[in-house]
Every structure is written in C-alpha cells, then in structure tokens.
Amino acid sequence: MSIAVASRALGAADLTANLGDIQDNVVAPVLMRYGRHIFLKFKDGGKAREWLRVLMARVNALSGERGTRFTVNVGFTFEGLKALGLSRRSLDSFPDAFRIGAAGRAAVVGDVGPHAPEHWEGGLGGADIHAMAWIRTHSADSRDIATQVLTAEMEAIGGIEIRFVQDTMALAHANGIGSEGEHFGFADPISQPPIEGADTPNYPGDGVQEADGKWRSLKPGEFLLGYEDEAGPSGIAAPEPFELRANGTYMVFRKLYQDVAAFRKYLHTAAKALYGSDDPGHQELVAAKMMGRWRSGCPIDLSPDKDDPAIASDPMRRNNFSYEGDDDGVRCPLGAHLRRSNPRATPLKRATAVRRHRLIRRGVEYGPHLADGALEDDGVDRGLVNLFIQADIERQFEFIQQEWMKGGEFIGLDPNEQDPINGVGGEGSQMMVPGAKQPFLFDLPTFVTVKGGEYLFVPGLKALEGLIEQKF
C-alpha cells in the first residue's frame, strides 16, 4: 500500500487502493456480535509504544488465539497522543474540538445536567484516558479470551493501566447479527452513508440525491482525512504532516443509557394525548412518529399510517425517500429523531448543505432487554454504545447535536422542541405531531442519558506505525 503525495487531496480511486491502510470498522462494519471497549492510561510513553508494536500485528487481522477469533482496533485521545510523545508541531495542528475533548466540549453539544461529564462513568472524558482499544468477536467466551490475551501482553510490558471497560452485544441489527430489536424495540441500523471508492453497499436513499432523483455516494473526505470532500478537492489539511492524517479519521464514543420503562409508559400517555386512545395500534403510531420509522425499520414517510414490513425488508426501498411534499410534517413530524439527524430535502429555516453534516454510526447495544411488557425499571444498565465516524468533529457530530438535535428553529419549530428520543426532556419540552387530534406533546421525559464520551483519533496503519516509531 502506498500513500499518495501530500500535494493533493486523495480521491475515490486512491481510497480503493488504500482500503488496507484504514482501520477496520471505519469504512465497513465488523459484523461480529460481541464487543468490548477498553479505555487505557499510558503511564509510560515508551512502554506504551512498545505495547502498540505488539498490538499492531493484530489490527486489521483476524487473530486466532486459544481456539477463538477476534479483531482489535485502537484510537487515541489528544492526551494520549501527548503521552505517546507526538511532536508539538503535530499536536498543535489538530483541530480545537479534538484537542479540547468530549468533556471540554460537553456544553456545546448539550451534555448538561444529568448528561454532564461529572456524571460520566469510569473517568471517561478525563485527562488520564489516553486510548480506546476495541474488540469484536463472536461470543462472550471469545471476548474474555481476547481480553486475557491483550491484558497479558500489556502486563508483560508494563506502563499501561486499564481505566474502564464497556461491553456490547448486538441485539438489533438489520444485517442478520441480531433480531430482537434495540432496547426501545426498533430495528437498527437501517442506513449508512455510502463512500465513493469504498467496496460497501450503496442503496437508494443512503447518499446524496441529485437533481435527476438518483442517489450517489459521498466523497471520501467527509469521513476520512486527506481525501477530497463535498466542498471540493482541497481536503482537510489537519493534522500535520500529511502522513499522519492520511487514511485516518475521528471517532466519537458515546455511552447512552436508555430508560426503556419510561419510554413504554410514555407511549400510553402520548397516545391518549394525541389520538384519544392508548390501544396498542396508537402506541405504535406514537413510537413511529417520535422515531421517524416503524419498529420494523419502515420509514413513516413511505408508510405514514401503518407499518409495512415488506418495505423494511427491501434495501432498495427502505431508505428511498426524501420527505419531499411533506414540508409541514404530516407524514413524518419535522422533529422526529431520524428526520432531525438527516433532514434530506426538507426546507430548512437555517440553510445548510445537509451532505456536509453526515456521520457514519456504528451503534451496538449493551445490557439485556427489559422484560416484554414491563413498565417499571429493573435497575439493570442498558442502552447503546455509538461510535460516530467523521473527518470534522465540529462540523459533523457537534453541529448535528447542537443545531439539529437540541433545538427546533433550524427546521421551523419552537426553539424549545428538542429531539424526542435523545433530547434533555422535562418541563417545557414539546413535540409537534401534525395530523393528530391534539397535535402537541408536552413535558416529554428524558429517555436517553449520556453516561460517557470520548473524542478519538483513529490513524491509518502507516500513521500508527509512525506514531510508534516517533516519526511525527
């Protein structure tokens, strides 16, 4: 694998040639059901680099140890790059959002009150979280064996401390890994933005819609550093040097607790408020209006009155919509979770190029399902671990959180209207549901609470080697 010279931004053809230099789970998901996210502190930079030399043989390689098979990848916080001995020139070239980190940027994205960093678990967001290594494998036993292998290698070298561990197990994936639905009961994930030059599926509705109605992939520089993006061929020129950023990306880690009992109870309340009945059909309609899809994954823009599993199961149809002709949100409320996260062709009061604010999301569940029908919390920790992948944390993740999730003005709603699924909730919160008998919901509970976050730099393999050898 050769990296193109720094005199130009890389293009789609370069991406095709360079896929082997990009860490797994960035361009394409690793389809293994069990995960473990291990957060590390580097107490000795030299020993940390020595351990990374050992680890590097496992990155992008399916390891076979003691009868199991697993993958490993690694990303670094800004504090971790400092601990590894990255040069001041390179450190100073990283963008401000990454340098400040998830905890320092919490207020920007609305992580306040119960979501604030002082409540985060395991010291996440703190200065002594230096890296995250994440494992993917096929069983809980394999995950434990993989962890034992990595831990033994760390202990043999020394100078590294495990600060926090978060396990995941895919429950909901529409790709065949799991079938139970995520904790609120929705199929997930349904759509990911396709990347030009990548060997990944590209279905109608996933990318950018052209004037002729056809859909195209996004430029690779929206998600990978050093490449041409949707603004043109210049590419993002940070961090420096080019060899450090080429084929790298930024990953935002988010642990999100889901209050399933509160969500289920609220469906009764909201169905009565909107439609005068809390029968199961109206509860399902409320859930769909809040999410923007029926639980099967069928978009309500295509089937606003009832679920249509046939659409949900057809990858050529389930994302092939644009909200065109629904400017008032009668089919899909303007403030529904998925319409906020990708407004598509919705006319926006604050004009912006939607294609410049897309994210790749690797979402995986943690914790067991709450018992079917239960309306009281059982005290078990459950929710989602989201890994958001992008080339510009401020323009992509932070913009979406601040502008599209935490307010309504951008789309013509009341400024107090937040995302009904991930919003802060509480007194004064609301959601407009056009077409309902009483078209407003008020005082929505907080269904999702942030339990931790990190901003990570995920280098390409040659850049990882350069970090280890202190070439930058």
Side-chain angles (χ1 to χ4, degrees):
M1 199 289 304
S2 62
I3 297 176
V5 295
S7 59
R8 65 175 180 87
L10 304 178
D14 298 299
L15 175 59
T16 302
N18 290 348
L19 286 172
D21 191 54
I22 299 166
Q23 289 201 47
D24 289 344
N25 218 34
V26 172
V27 171
V30 174
L31 300 181
M32 298 173 124
R33 188 172 187 180
Y34 290 80
R36 178 162 287 163
H37 305 79
I38 305 171
F39 291 88
L40 306 168
K41 176 182 179 180
F42 298 150
K43 297 189 290 185
D44 182 302
K47 290 185 176 181
R49 292 191 301 274
E50 185 179 347
W51 172 70
L52 287 170
R53 286 189 187 95
V54 176
L55 182 73
M56 190 168 173
R58 302 185 184 281
V59 176
N60 283 19
L62 192 60
S63 298
E65 299 278 350
R66 292 162 53 185
T68 190
R69 294 169 73 79
F70 61 91
T71 69
V72 183
N73 296 95
V74 64
F76 306 96
T77 65
F78 182 69
E79 295 297 324
L81 294 175
K82 287 200 296 186
L84 287 175
L86 187 63
S87 71
R88 175 51 57 186
R89 172 178 174 265
S90 289
L91 288 170
D92 289 347
S93 70
F94 278 92
D96 287 346
F98 174 70
R99 294 170 62 193
I100 294 169
R105 301 285 285 184
V108 173
V109 300
D111 288 348
V112 297
H115 311 274
E118 56 262 33
H119 305 300
W120 290 359
E121 297 176 353
L124 291 174
D128 59 353
I129 300 291
H130 293 158
M132 180 182 79
W134 62 100
I135 296 168
R136 294 290 182 269
T137 188
H138 290 297
S139 70
D141 287 344
S142 295
R143 182 172 59 192
D144 288 342
I145 292 171
T147 304
Q148 292 167 13
V149 169
L150 297 186
T151 301
E153 292 170 350
M154 290 183 210
E155 291 175 348
I157 294 170
I160 301 172
E161 177 184 344
I162 294 177
R163 300 286 291 141
F164 181 67
V165 175
Q166 178 61 55
D167 287 348
T168 57
M169 184 181 74
L171 302 173
H173 293 226
N175 55 25
I177 292 181
S179 59
E180 299 172 280
E182 56 80 51
H183 291 296
F184 290 152
F186 294 89
D188 181 58
I190 301 297
S191 175
Q192 294 285 7
I195 306 173
E196 186 179 347
D199 184 20
T200 53
N202 182 3
Y203 298 117
D206 286 350
V208 178
Q209 191 172 31
E210 301 282 50
D212 61 2
K214 295 181 180 179
W215 298 85
R216 66 165 174 85
S217 299
L218 286 99
K219 298 295 184 183
E222 292 298 311
F223 311 105
L224 293 162
L225 300 174
Y227 287 81
E228 177 182 357
D229 62 26
E230 290 289 322
S234 61
I236 295 174
E240 292 287 355
F242 176 84
E243 290 77 13
L244 174 59
R245 68 179 179 270
N247 297 318
T249 191
Y250 294 107
M251 179 179 286
V252 176
F253 171 93
R254 304 272 282 178
K255 178 179 180 180
L256 304 174
Y257 166 76
Q258 294 178 265
D259 191 339
V260 179
F263 183 74
R264 291 176 181 174
K265 285 190 287 190
Y266 189 72
L267 294 182
H268 288 268
T269 302
K272 284 185 177 180
L274 292 176
Y275 303 107
S277 169
D278 68 345
D279 64 72
H282 283 109
Q283 289 185 53
E284 289 303 300
L285 180 58
V286 170
K289 293 288 186 180
M290 293 172 69
M291 180 61 74
R293 291 188 189 269
W294 298 92
R295 295 197 205 239
S296 71
C298 173
I300 58 174
D301 190 59
L302 296 181
S303 184
D305 299 320
K306 63 178 181 178
D307 194 2
D308 189 338
I311 294 176
S313 63
D314 185 351
M316 301 301 292
R317 300 171 65 198
R318 63 189 178 206
N319 290 306
N320 193 10
F321 62 93
S322 65
Y323 304 117
E324 185 177 359
D326 190 33
D327 294 358
D328 295 325
V330 175
R331 295 197 305 269
C332 178
L334 298 175
H337 172 70
L338 291 175
R339 192 163 187 173
R340 286 174 172 274
S341 62
N342 182 11
R344 300 180 183 239
T346 304
L348 302 180
K349 302 301 179 182
R350 296 178 180 173
T352 185
V354 172
R355 69 185 190 279
R356 297 285 280 152
H357 305 288
R358 300 294 302 278
L359 295 165
I360 295 172
R361 181 178 73 90
R362 307 290 181 221
V364 188
E365 298 77 27
Y366 73 88
H369 273 298
L370 182 65
D372 290 345
L375 297 178
E376 298 298 329
D377 185 58
D378 60 2
V380 175
D381 188 22
R382 58 175 56 86
L384 275 173
V385 165
N386 278 333
L387 304 179
F388 295 107
I389 296 164
Q390 67 264 278
D392 188 328
I393 292 173
E394 185 173 5
R395 172 169 55 81
Q396 291 167 279
F397 171 75
E398 290 188 346
F399 178 92
I400 291 171
Q401 288 293 118
Q402 181 184 50
E403 182 79 359
W404 289 354
M405 295 294 177
K406 299 301 183 182
E409 291 176 289
F410 81 99
I411 207 166
L413 299 171
D414 187 283
N416 291 321
E417 183 164 337
Q418 297 189 19
D419 173 25
I421 302 295
N422 286 341
V424 173
E427 186 176 353
S429 62
Q430 66 182 60
M431 180 184 180
M432 184 171 68
V433 185
K437 291 181 179 179
Q438 189 287 101
F440 283 94
L441 295 173
F442 296 101
D443 301 336
L444 286 77
T446 298
F447 302 118
V448 174
T449 303
V450 180
K451 292 293 187 180
E454 286 292 351
Y455 288 176
L456 300 159
F457 172 60
V458 182
L461 296 192
K462 284 193 174 296
L464 177 58
E465 182 180 11
L467 285 169
I468 295 168
E469 303 301 330
Q470 292 192 288
K471 295 180 179 178
F472 309 123

